[in-house]
Amino acid sequence: GRNTKLLEWADLGTGDYRPPSLRVVYDDGGTISPSTYKGHKIIKGKHPMQIARGKSLWDTGNVTLLPELRGDEDTCMTLCVYMEDSLTGLEIELIYTVYKDADAIVRRTIVRNPPARRNAPRTPGAAHVNTVQVD
């Protein structure tokens, strides 16, 4: 039946009829971006944000500009799931951090367009990432 394949990371055209988690429009007009599992790792503590860094407004040195919860090896654990768009080589990293003393799981997504992709003729243009899937 319809909507029988409810995925954590919904792909356009793979059987999950909800809005896709990642919507990419390529230069050839294509929008299909099927992602496949490549691996995972579990780390103690929080996976730090490395790209969203910059200068503080108050000139106190480099700080993370996006809001994020703090955590160390004693307070949380993180699962990183690595996926890849099999057609274009786009890399997707799903990061889930579980905090020991709070009933909270924090999820974030990193989408990378590696410079040396396998199928270079398909270049992503506009992209949209949904932060949640509601059933």
Side-chain angles (χ1 to χ4, degrees):
R2 278 196 70 175
N3 246 1
T4 57
K5 190 175 181 183
L6 301 176
L7 305 170
E8 168 65 17
W9 182 259
D11 295 8
L12 183 63
T14 58
D16 190 336
Y17 295 102
R18 297 173 298 171
S21 299
L22 174 66
R23 188 173 307 146
V24 179
V25 178
Y26 295 97
D27 56 1
D28 64 0
T31 57
I32 302 293
S33 56
S35 50
T36 56
Y37 173 81
K38 289 296 180 189
H40 71 277
K41 72 177 177 180
I42 298 173
I43 59 173
K44 290 183 178 181
K46 189 175 94 39
H47 188 294
M49 287 192 192
Q50 297 181 7
I51 296 175
R53 294 200 174 272
K55 197 78 165 149
S56 168
L57 296 175
W58 297 276
D59 200 26
T60 57
N62 283 339
V63 296
T64 301
L65 296 176
L66 296 176
E68 64 178 322
L69 293 175
R70 294 187 179 113
D72 58 25
E73 292 184 6
D74 296 327
T75 61
C76 60
M77 292 195 70
T78 301
L79 167 66
C80 300
V81 179
Y82 303 101
M83 302 175 73
E84 182 181 64
D85 178 334
S86 56
L87 298 176
T88 64
L90 281 177
E91 298 170 351
I92 302 157
E93 185 175 351
L94 305 175
I95 302 167
Y96 302 88
T97 301
V98 179
Y99 290 85
K100 183 171 35 172
D101 295 331
D103 291 333
I105 298 175
V106 176
R107 171 184 153 181
R108 64 186 166 106
T109 304
I110 298 172
V111 179
R112 291 184 190 92
N113 186 19
R117 293 190 340 262
R118 288 187 304 264
N119 300 327
R122 291 194 69 183
T123 305
H128 173 79
V129 178
N130 287 336
T131 56
V132 295
Q133 289 292 342
V134 180
D135 296 332

